[in-house]
Structure formats: structure tokens, C-alpha cells
């Protein structure tokens, strides 16, 4: 192509020469996971102390067999933009971003395990529950990271065991900001951007009922689910997801809602006045009524000490749900058995 | 971050002194007779971003973010070695995403081609292929060092004037007006002591802020300072606000009178 046709050619070749390549800086050691947006690799830095990193490579877009530029996904833009601004011990740290050959590589500090693996390890290998002090420590650190995000006006919107990491020293790190959003003065309401947020088992009732407005408290519901899962080693509300219909309408997630009211009982207007304004309210009314059985769920899980805490994170009314700040001050963390470091 | 300017990438990596900004134009200066032409180019491109942004129904804040991206890009590059038109389109495309109000790449290409090809600009070479714009986006994000969240004076203006709805008392900006200071009594963000500007004066302050993006101010000063300066200018230029200040007994007005500003 003649220069007059592509005046940016000179610029690009200059940049291409300056830009370090991933393989100049890192030795790829192996493959960790493959997700919706791409793959995660384990890699060793070639510089300095040879530290281990996790490199998340966003899937490049393809047209047929040829990789082309089709525009960076909203999810990648979010994850990159938010990670560049934040820094906290309990949030996975982004070391650098390398843009190379139409692909984006995000280099993160390495965390040995995620919560999913910890849960699996206890249920399958050790066949014993996570001890109360460790469980409290994990929960506390998780809340500490979440408070940081919330104070920075970030809603995570995809908290679940696979997105919560833990280092070999037992430090909890919140990861995967691919669905996270700044909530400070949004130009359009949050629901307008993403029709579906939060993996179904961890999705708050107001989202299941089609709320058009929601806030940080959706993360606290997910935290409740994660803490319960750490206690019982299985998802507390394990519903079947109803698929989007052909017009991409989001159906009422009946089974998921049933799983919730199975344990927490049917939401009452007196505890959640806003419930009657929810778009799916009538669908919910049609479900069989149920009483709250959270205490007996906790007892049989050997988790009676966590009942008060769970009850408050599982408040149906988002405005009454425990906040991250209040959760950190909850007496559960002060009572015996006290949290330890792992 | 979203609340803490002093911890932001904006403050840490993208505030420069005038000498550095001048240095960034060194190559371009070789091609102009008068250095002022470079400033005119800055105005010209800012106007163009604003026009394209409006065609794409982008909100003012997203347009401002696009302009900030453009200026940051040219802190590392020269006009004469690049094609500012495709850079402009890419800035709008990325800013819309960064501000969570995305526009489709196809729309950006179509609107950019239409706008740039009209008689005023006569640029007929803008690529019709989406992938060219996406390619530019890729390089742009790299040159922006992936710092895609920018702070703007609009926020301070609205916060000071108590126009941020009910969130004001809880969500005051840290790093702006002493928010983030947790101890002791405070008046900021309480709704008390808020600045009362007439609707039209507020509008004027808003427009003054819009105009600041035609210069390098967003690379030099923190946004809250720009907001304060815009409010100050409004107090001077806005007729009826100016009059009411003059007549207010309790107001120590002498310094203002001494300045004798006149709207041009
Ligand atoms: N920093 C990290 N260190 C170690 N493993 C990681 C790290 N980040 C992600 N992983 C692993 O990769 C998986 C997918 O990463 P994630 O960021 O959640 O991407 P996705 O958007 O594909 O879900 C995680 O569940 C975790 O097991
Ligand atoms: Mg994930």
C-alpha cells in the first residue's frame, strides 16, 4: 500500500520495533485455564528474580482463519482500565499489559489457587471441612478486598469461587474484573450495559427478579454464597439456569429462585417493601411458599456460629443487606474461634 | 480511584509541565512558521472530536475523555508523523467504551468518513474497513499505557453546586476539596455551604469547561482546579451573577471590582 493510502504505516513500524514481546520478557511454563474471554498461562519472568506470573491472553478475533482486528471487547477495556487504577493487598495486582500481534496480554501477580480448588481439595482429597479459623480468615480478607473496591465505586458483579484467588502464603486476592464496573455517576444505568450479570448461583434475588437498578449489595449477596460454600463445600443455591430465548430476552430464573426460597423462605413485603415493584414479582408469587430454614441449614453444616452473619448478608432487601464495611466489623470475626492466617 | 484523584493514573502519569508539552511538539514546530499555528491545530482537532462525538451521540464527558486521550497520544507522537483523523476516530471509539456508553465500530467508521469527507475538511482517504480503525485502537491503547480513566472538571462543578442528586453527601470526591479527610467537622458535601449558581451561570461554567479542552490545560492542571477557575470566570462574566455579587453587602467584593473584568 502506498504511503498516501496508509499514513500510519511509519508510526506502526516504529511502535512495533519498540514494543517488547511477551516471550522476550517471560517464559511460558504452562496453561492454567481457558475461559470465556481467553486463556490464562503460568509464566516466569526472565528479568530480575524470575518471579512467577499469570498471563491472561484475550482471545484474538478471527475472520475465518485469519486473525484480524475487530475492536477490543468491552470486557477487556474494563478489566484493563480498572486494574490500572487500583492497588490493594486483597485484589490481584496487574503488573503490566502487553499488546502484541492483535492480542492483549495482561500480566498478573501469581496466586497459587482459587477458592474453587480449595473447596474441591477439602471435599474430594481431604474429605473434611475447612476449619472455622481458616474460613473466617478467608472471609475477612475477601471482604477487605471488596471494601476497597466498593470504596473506589467499583462493583465486581462476578464474585464466585473461581474468581477469588489465594496465594501460597494464604493471602486472598479478588480477581477477574471482566464484569466489574465503575458506578460513580454512570452515563447510563448499569442494567443498560449488561443484561445479565453474576453467575447464576451467586446472583442476588433483586437481579433474579429483573431489577432495573441495583448496587454494591449484589456483591454482598455473592459473598454470602461464597462463605456458605466454604462452609459446606458445595454451592448453597445450586439452581438450573433458564436459557435466554431466541430474542435474547432474559427469562425468569425460576429454579434458581426456588433454590433460594428453599432455604431462606419466601420474601415478605414487610422485610423487603420494594419486592412488589420488581418486574418478576408476579412470577415469584406463583411459587409455593416456604419458610426460612437458614438456621437448620447452618446447624447441619456445623456452621451455627456463622448463622447471624449469613442471615444478614442474605437479607432480601438490598438496602438492609450487610455492607462490606459493616461485615468486617461483624461480631462473627471477633468471636471464638478467631480467624487465623492459613 | 474513581474517587481519589491523587491515587489515579491521571495524576500519577499524565500531568506535565509546560516545557515537556512544548518538547512534545518539537518535530511539528519545524513545519510551521509561527508556533501559534500548533495551538490552532489543537483547537481544530478538539472541535473535530467534539463534532464526531456529537454525531455518535456521545455524552459530553465521553467527548472530553476522547479529547484527553488525543492530547495524551500527541505527548508521545507528532502530528506530522501520524494521521490525526484516524487517531480522532479511535479516541472517540475507545472513550465511548471507557465511559461505559459504547458505540458500534461500524457507526464510528461511517460517521467519521462522512464528517471528514465534507467540504470543510476534504479528507476522502479515511478507511472504510472496520479493521483499520480497530488496528488504530490497539496502538492507541498501547500509547495510552492502558490508562483509560480520566477525571474531568464537570464533576467538581456539579458537586460544588450540589447538582449530583442525593449522592452528594456520601460520594464527595476525595482529592477534591478536602474530601477523604475523615475526621472533624466538614461542610463540603453536606449540602450546607454549597455554591448557589443560577441555572444560566452554571451553564456558562459548563461551557467554559468545554472550552478548556481546546487547549493543553487538561495535561497541566488537576481537573478540580480547572473547575474552580471556570467558576471564577463565571462569577466575573455572567452578567446577573456579577451584578448580584456587586450589590451583596456581606460580600467582600473589592478585589473583584479592582479587576474590572469585561466580557469581550
Ligand atoms: N493471577 C492469577 N494467578 C493464578 N491463577 C489465575 C490468576 N488469574 C486467573 N487465574 C486462573 O485462571 C482462571 C480464569 O481467570 P479469570 O481472570 O477468572 O478469567 P475469565 O474471565 O476467563 O473467567 C481463574 O479461575 C484462575 O483459576
Ligand atoms: Mg473468571
Amino acid at each position: 500500500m502506498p504511503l498516501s493510502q496508509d499514513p500510519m504505516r511509519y508510526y506502526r513500524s516504529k511502535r512495533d520495533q519498540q514494543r517488547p514481546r511477551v516471550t522476550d520478557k517471560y517464559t511460558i511454563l504452562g496453561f492454567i485455564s481457558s475461559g470465556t474471554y481467553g486463556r490464562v498461562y503460568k509464566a516466569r519472568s526472565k528479568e530480575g528474580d524470575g518471579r512467577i506470573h499469570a498471563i491472561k491472553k484475550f482471545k484474538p478475533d478471527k475472520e475465518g482463519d485469519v486473525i484480524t482486528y475487530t475492536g477490543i471487547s468491552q470486557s477487556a477495556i474494563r478489566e484493563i482500565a480498572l486494574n490500572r487504577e487500583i492497588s490493594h493487598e486483597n485484589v490481584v495486582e496487574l503488573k503490566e499489559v502487553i499488546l502484541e500481534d492483535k492480542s492483549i496480554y495482561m500480566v498478573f501477580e501469581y496466586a497459587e489457587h482459587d477458592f474453587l480448588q480449595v473447596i474441591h481439595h477439602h471435599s474430594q482429597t481431604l474429605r473434611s471441612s475447612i476449619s472455622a479459623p481458616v474460613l473466617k480468615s478467608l472471609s475477612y480478607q475477601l471482604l477487605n478486598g471488596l471494601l476497597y473496591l466498593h470504596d473506589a465505586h467499583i462493583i465486581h458483579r462476578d464474585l464466585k469461587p473461581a474468581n477469588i484467588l489465594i496465594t501460597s502464603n494464604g493471602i486472598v486476592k479478588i480477581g477477574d474484573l471482566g464484569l466489574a464496573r465503575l458506578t460513580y455517576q454512570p452515563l447510563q444505568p448499569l442494567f443498560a450495559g449488561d443484561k445479565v450479570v453474576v453467575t447464576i448461583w451467586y446472583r442476588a434475588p433483586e437481579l433474579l427478579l429483573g431489577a432495573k437498578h441495583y448496587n454494591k449489595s449484589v456483591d454482598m449477596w455473592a459473598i454470602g454464597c461464597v462463605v456458605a460454600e466454604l462452609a459446606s463445600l458445595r454451592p448453597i443455591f445450586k439452581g438450573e439456569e433458564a436459557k435466554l430465548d431466541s430474542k435474547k430476552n432474559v427469562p425468569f430464573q425460576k429454579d434458581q429462585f426456588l433454590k433460594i426460597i428453599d432455604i431462606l423462605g419466601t420474601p415478605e413485603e414487610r422485610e423487603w417493601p420494594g419486592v412488589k415493584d420488581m418486574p418478576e414479582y408476579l412470577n415469584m408469587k406463583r411459587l409455593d411458599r416456604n419458610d426460612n430454614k437458614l438456621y437448620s441449614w447452618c446447624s447441619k453444616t456445623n456452621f451455627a456460629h456463622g448463622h447471624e452473619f449469613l442471615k444478614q448478608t442474605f437479607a432480601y432487601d438490598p438496602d438492609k443487606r450487610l455492607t462490606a464495611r459493616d461485615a468486617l466489623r461483624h461480631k462473627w470475626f471477633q468471636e471464638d474461634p478467631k480467624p487465623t492466617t492459613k | 480511584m474513581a474517587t481519589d484523584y491523587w491515587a489515579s493514573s491521571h495524576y500519577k502519569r499524565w500531568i506535565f509541565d509546560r516545557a515537556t508539552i512544548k518538547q512534545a511538539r518539537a518535530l511539528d514546530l519545524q513545519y510551521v512558521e509561527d508556533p501559534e499555528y500548533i495551538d490552532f491545530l489543537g483547537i481544530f482537532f478538539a472541535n473535530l472530536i467534539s463534532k464526531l462525538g456529537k454525531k455518535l451521540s456521545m455524552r459530553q464527558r465521553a467527548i472530553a475523555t476522547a479529547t484527553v486521550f488525543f492530547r495524551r497520544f500527541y505527548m508521545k507522537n507528532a502530528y506530522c508523523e501520524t494521521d490525526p483523523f484516524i487517531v480522532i476516530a479511535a479516541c472517540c471509539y475507545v472513550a465511548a467504551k471507557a465511559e461505559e456508553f459504547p458505540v458500534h465500530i461500524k457507526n464510528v467508521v461511517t460517521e467519521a468518513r462522512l464528517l471528514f469527507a465534507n467540504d470543510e475538511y476534504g479528507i476522502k482517504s479515511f478507511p472504510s474497513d472496520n479493521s483499520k480503525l480497530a488496528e488504530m485502537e490497539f496502538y492507541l491503547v498501547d500509547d495510552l499505557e492502558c490508562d483509560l480513566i480520566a477525571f474531568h472538571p464537570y464533576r467538581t462543578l456539579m458537586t460544588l453546586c450540589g447538582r449530583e442528586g442525593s449522592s452528594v453527601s456520601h460520594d464527595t470526591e476525595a482529592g477534591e476539596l478536602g474530601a477523604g479527610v475523615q475526621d472533624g467537622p466538614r461542610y463540603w458535601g453536606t449540602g450546607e455551604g454549597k455554591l448557589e449558581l443560577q441555572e444560566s451561570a452554571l451553564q456558562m461554567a459548563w461551557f467554559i469547561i468545554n472550552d478548556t479542552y481546546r487547549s493543553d490545560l487538561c495535561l497541566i492542571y488537576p481537573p478540580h482546579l480547572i473547575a474552580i477557575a471556570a467558576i471564577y470566570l463565571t462569577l466575573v462574566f455572567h452578567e446577573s451573577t456579577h451584578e448580584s455579587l456587586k450589590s451583596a453587602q456581606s460580600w467582600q467584593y473589592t478585589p473583584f471590582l479592582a479587576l474590572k473584568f469585561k466580557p469581550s
Side-chain angles (χ1 to χ4, degrees), chain A residues 155-302:
Chain A
I155 315 192
H156 187 285
R157 304 199 300 185
D158 199 15
L159 287 172
K160 58 178 177 181
N163 288 340
I164 304 165
L165 310 175
I166 176 166
T167 67
S168 49
N169 300 327
I171 311 289
V172 173
K173 307 269 180 184
I174 297 177
D176 198 351
L177 297 186
L179 257 183
R181 256 205 72 159
L182 267 185
T183 58
Y184 195 85
Q185 296 171 4
L187 293 178
Q188 61 178 351
L190 302 189
F191 76 90
D194 308 86
K195 273 199 172 155
V196 183
V197 294
V198 194
T199 306
I200 185 113
W201 299 340
Y202 307 90
R203 199 177 295 163
E206 63 273 24
L207 294 172
L208 294 168
L209 293 180
K212 292 278 180 264
H213 297 280
Y214 59 87
N215 57 29
K216 294 165 190 175
S217 54
V218 301
D219 283 342
M220 284 307 295
W221 181 276
I223 294 263
C225 298
V226 170
V227 172
E229 191 164 336
L230 290 172
S232 72
L233 303 180
R234 64 178 73 92
I236 179 169
F237 308 125
K238 197 174 174 182
E240 290 284 336
E241 180 156 29
K243 294 284 170 256
L244 304 188
D245 69 16
S246 54
K247 294 196 195 86
K248 298 247 165 106
N249 290 317
V250 183
F252 176 50
Q253 297 291 352
K254 181 175 160 194
D255 192 59
Q256 182 61 33
F257 214 89
L258 281 170
K259 292 295 186 308
I260 292 173
I261 61 180
D262 223 26
I263 295 176
L264 298 179
T266 306
E268 305 290 346
E269 271 178 46
R270 105 189 103 70
E271 53 176 346
W272 184 11
V275 66
K276 57 185 182 308
D277 304 319
M278 294 287 145
E280 303 285 4
Y281 178 63
L282 291 178
N283 275 327
M284 184 201 90
K285 282 293 245 192
R286 276 190 215 112
L287 305 178
D288 291 337
R289 292 192 48 82
N290 241 313
D291 295 326
N292 187 318
K293 300 189 231 7
L294 184 62
Y295 189 78
S296 77
W297 183 91
C298 287
S299 310
K300 73 173 188 275
T301 314
N302 224 340

Side-chain angles (χ1 to χ4, degrees), chain A residues 18-29:
Chain A
Q18 289 166 342
R19 189 187 284 154
R21 298 185 68 84
V22 174
T23 48
D24 293 340
K25 299 183 83 174
Y26 300 94
T27 312
I28 304 294
L29 300 175

Side-chain angles (χ1 to χ4, degrees), chain B residues 133 181 219 232:
Chain B
L133 179 60
V181 181
L219 298 174
Y232 179 75

Side-chain angles (χ1 to χ4, degrees), chain A residues 11 15 72 85 153 184, chain B residues 3 9 97 100 139 143 173:
Chain A
Y11 160 79
R15 281 285 170 271
I72 304 173
E85 305 291 326
H153 298 272
Y184 195 85
Chain B
T3 48
S9 63
K97 277 191 268 195
E100 294 280 354
Y139 284 83
D143 264 349
E173 302 298 277

Side-chain angles (χ1 to χ4, degrees), chain B:
Chain B
M1 57 155 311
T3 48
D4 190 354
Y5 171 74
W6 307 112
S8 70
S9 63
H10 188 145
Y11 170 67
K12 286 193 269 191
R13 291 188 280 273
W14 298 101
I15 294 293
F16 305 94
D17 57 30
R18 288 186 190 272
T20 311
I21 293 174
K22 199 169 161 211
Q23 183 57 37
R25 292 279 66 79
L27 204 55
D28 291 324
L29 278 167
Q30 293 175 9
Y31 296 89
V32 292
E33 287 160 34
D34 183 343
E36 209 181 11
Y37 290 167
I38 295 290
D39 297 337
F40 293 162
L41 269 183
I43 297 173
F44 174 79
F45 290 131
N47 288 347
L48 208 50
I49 293 172
S50 183
K51 273 191 193 168
L52 180 59
K54 295 216 169 82
K55 293 251 186 268
L56 294 167
S57 310
M58 285 167 64
R59 305 285 296 272
Q60 193 64 52
R61 191 175 83 201
I63 293 175
T65 299
T67 319
V68 169
F69 289 170
F70 183 84
R71 294 196 176 278
R72 288 180 182 178
F73 179 83
Y74 282 107
M75 284 305 291
K76 297 182 170 182
N77 297 287
Y79 293 129
C80 61
E81 286 186 346
T82 55
D83 170 15
F85 290 90
I86 189 134
V87 177
I88 284 174
C91 286
C92 287
Y93 179 50
V94 181
K97 277 191 268 195
E99 294 287 349
E100 294 280 354
F101 208 133
V103 279
H104 199 277
I105 188 163
K106 189 80 227 144
N107 289 354
V108 183
V109 169
T110 312
E111 294 297 340
R113 275 171 65 81
L114 269 174
L115 175 66
F116 299 158
N118 78 16
D119 290 343
E120 205 175 329
Y121 311 111
I123 303 288
K124 314 273 189 204
S125 59
F126 194 91
S128 56
D129 181 2
N130 292 357
S131 70
K132 282 315 248 186
L133 179 60
E135 177 185 61
M136 184 63 235
E137 174 192 38
F138 198 81
Y139 284 83
L140 171 66
V141 168
D142 202 18
D143 264 349
L144 294 175
E145 295 170 34
C146 298
D147 293 330
L148 303 177
I149 293 175
F151 282 66
H152 297 292
Y154 303 109
R155 192 144 92 177
T156 313
L157 174 68
M158 297 319 256
T159 306
L160 279 178
C161 297
R163 300 300 171 95
E164 288 306 334
S166 56
S167 65
V168 182
S169 55
H170 308 293
D171 286 342
T172 328
E173 302 298 277
E176 293 184 26
L177 290 162
V181 181
Q182 302 286 337
D183 309 315
R186 46 183 261 176
Y187 61 87
W188 58 85
T190 57
E192 285 173 47
K194 87 176 171 213
L195 188 67
E196 282 181 29
L197 277 189
Q198 299 168 28
E199 199 57 43
S200 59
L202 180 64
Q203 191 115 75
M204 180 185 268
W206 184 278
F207 288 151
I208 291 173
I209 292 173
N210 288 353
D211 285 347
T212 63
Y213 288 94
R214 297 188 163 92
S215 73
D216 287 325
L217 286 177
C218 62
L219 298 174
I220 302 172
Y221 297 104
H224 51 271
L225 213 58
I226 297 177
I228 304 284
I231 291 170
Y232 179 75
L233 288 176
T234 302
L235 299 184
V236 176
F237 287 141
H238 190 258
E239 282 303 334
S240 60
T241 304
H242 184 86
E243 288 307 315
S244 69
L245 281 179
K246 234 185 341 191
S247 60
Q249 293 284 311
S250 58
W251 180 257
Q252 258 303 349
Y253 194 63
T254 356
F256 266 135
L257 283 179
L259 280 173
K260 282 255 170 27
F261 268 111
K262 262 201 169 150
S264 49

